[in-house]
Amino acid sequence: MTNEFGSMDALQIREALPHRYPFLLIDKVIGGVSGESITAIKNVTSNEPFFQGHFPERPVMPGVLIIEAMAQAGGILSYLTMIDVEPKPLFFLAGVDKARFRRTVLPGDQLTVRVDVDRVKRGIWFYRCEATVDGKVAVAADIMCAPGGER
């Protein structure tokens, strides 16, 4: 059974994910359907710590962090889908396939992350992900997350 869910603020996101600043890369959840999809937002600001070294003269959000934002959005989706499961599983990024980096993500951009469940097999979640800025694809990838303990 699937249920639609609405927006989530930063406090609710911290309940769903173990990540904390500076590695919490989801600022807001717009909504989704448990077991199916989620749409989340990452506001990219000029004071992000990674911009000090990537690259100081022309700051660009590292692609691996965009992939991590996708995984975190997927983690929230898995958490909301398994909200009644105890103990709560903790998911880890287990694989990335077909990653394509199409445009740079810069300070001031708002990254919209869309994650769709492709399938769940033996507890491993397979997602199709897309991160866009102003409706244009910045990164697309298939990722998988596997349980690796309890929260």
Side-chain angles (χ1 to χ4, degrees), residues 81-132:
T81 301
M82 303 176 74
I83 196 81
D84 295 327
V85 173
E86 289 297 337
K88 297 256 181 278
L90 182 61
F91 289 90
F92 292 91
L93 180 61
V96 178
D97 292 313
K98 300 179 187 172
R100 295 291 178 262
F101 302 91
R102 309 228 182 255
R103 77 179 293 276
T104 57
V105 176
L106 307 171
D109 285 344
Q110 184 175 72
L111 193 66
T112 301
V113 178
R114 167 73 186 217
V115 175
D116 292 296
V117 175
D118 183 39
R119 67 190 182 282
V120 180
K121 186 175 181 181
R122 288 181 269 167
I124 299 173
W125 291 68
F126 295 83
Y127 305 107
R128 295 197 187 280
C129 308
E130 193 172 81
T132 60

Side-chain angles (χ1 to χ4, degrees), residues 28-44:
K28 180 179 183 174
V29 170
I30 296 172
V33 179
S34 65
E36 292 182 18
S37 65
I38 190 169
T39 302
I41 299 292
K42 164 64 178 157
N43 294 308
V44 183

Side-chain angles (χ1 to χ4, degrees), residues 42-56:
K42 164 64 178 157
N43 294 308
V44 183
T45 64
S46 60
N47 61 351
E48 305 277 359
F50 49 79
F51 285 139
Q52 293 177 13
H54 197 268
F55 305 99

Side-chain angles (χ1 to χ4, degrees), residues 54-67:
H54 197 268
F55 305 99
E57 302 305 316
R58 187 176 183 319
V60 175
M61 184 173 184
V64 295
L65 293 182
I66 299 170
I67 297 287

Side-chain angles (χ1 to χ4, degrees), residues 8-20 24 26 75-76 79-80 83 88-90 151:
M8 295 173 68
D9 62 22
L11 292 174
Q12 293 166 313
I13 290 167
R14 284 185 285 201
E15 289 176 20
L17 291 177
H19 305 77
R20 296 297 179 261
L24 180 59
I26 299 297
I76 295 168
Y79 174 87
L80 293 173
I83 196 81
K88 297 256 181 278
L90 182 61
R151 282 199 54 149

